[in-house]
Amino acid sequence: MSRMWPRPTPYEPVWRAMQAFTEARTPETPDELWLVEHEPVYTLGQASKPEHLLNPGKIPVVQTDRGGQVTYHGPGQVMAYILADLKRSGRYIKAMVHQIEDATIETLRIYGIEDACRKEGAPGVYVLQDGELAKIAALGIKVRNGCTYHGMALNVDMDLTPFDGINPCGYAGLQTVCMAQYGVSAGWDDVAQTLSQQITRYCGLSLSSE
């Protein structure tokens, strides 16, 4: 099942709901994909270093249990939370991360952004900007009892200023961009549905039909 949360939604209730869902699921529980647009928030991964949070200002900061460093979520960004049973699908987490990146790259290609790619040693999806790779999607996953939660954040059409308050994903000077800068005029709902379809396809999710 793909679940569309109200827009925008605070971060912490969704995070706690993911934890509860993962804790309660059984081998028969269908996978779910949650599509969320968050209120402004900085989130810190388990390995986050305080020096990467430069100037949070009035934006809330939440320490989470996902992988990765610090990132920003806010209006105009599609957050796809992937609640998948790795054991049932026969996947390892490294393969799942690769497939989530593939799904995001394909989503960007559908909207005419042809040069989206990976960056060695830095999970997420990148595009060329002024001759350098800039981040357009951030990825952070947690695995508990063989099941995943957290997921992929794709920048659609958003105010990118809050990224100046951090070293995005722990990289000083890393440029962050959004799809609108590349001439994409599609709205949030449209991109969210396309990303949902591609993640379901690439990651082999067993979603319920309800």
Side-chain angles (χ1 to χ4, degrees), residues 70-157:
V70 60
T71 194
Y72 168 75
H73 301 307
Q77 179 190 71
V78 173
M79 188 71 230
Y81 289 118
I82 301 152
L83 304 157
D85 188 329
L86 291 175
K87 291 181 290 187
R88 184 168 57 208
S89 69
R91 285 168 164 79
Y92 293 100
I93 185 57
K94 187 174 181 180
M96 175 67 85
V97 166
H98 197 87
Q99 289 160 351
I100 295 168
E101 291 170 337
D102 282 341
T104 307
I105 290 168
E106 178 62 16
T107 297
L108 292 166
R109 189 198 64 77
I110 288 169
Y111 290 104
I113 300 176
E114 301 283 352
D115 63 354
C117 63
R118 295 181 181 82
K119 184 177 180 179
E120 186 66 31
V125 174
Y126 300 78
V127 292
L128 279 173
Q129 175 79 354
D130 301 327
E132 296 184 359
L133 289 180
K135 196 158 200 172
I136 198 167
L139 191 156
I141 294 289
K142 173 71 175 180
V143 180
R144 179 180 292 174
N145 300 327
C147 297
T148 67
Y149 58 104
H150 293 288
M152 173 66 80
L154 175 58
N155 303 335
V156 180
D157 186 2

Side-chain angles (χ1 to χ4, degrees), residues 35-53:
L35 302 170
V36 186
E37 181 184 51
H38 281 303
E39 296 176 358
V41 64
Y42 291 120
T43 65
L44 308 177
Q46 288 182 311
S48 289
K49 297 179 180 178
E51 58 264 32
H52 294 312
L53 190 63

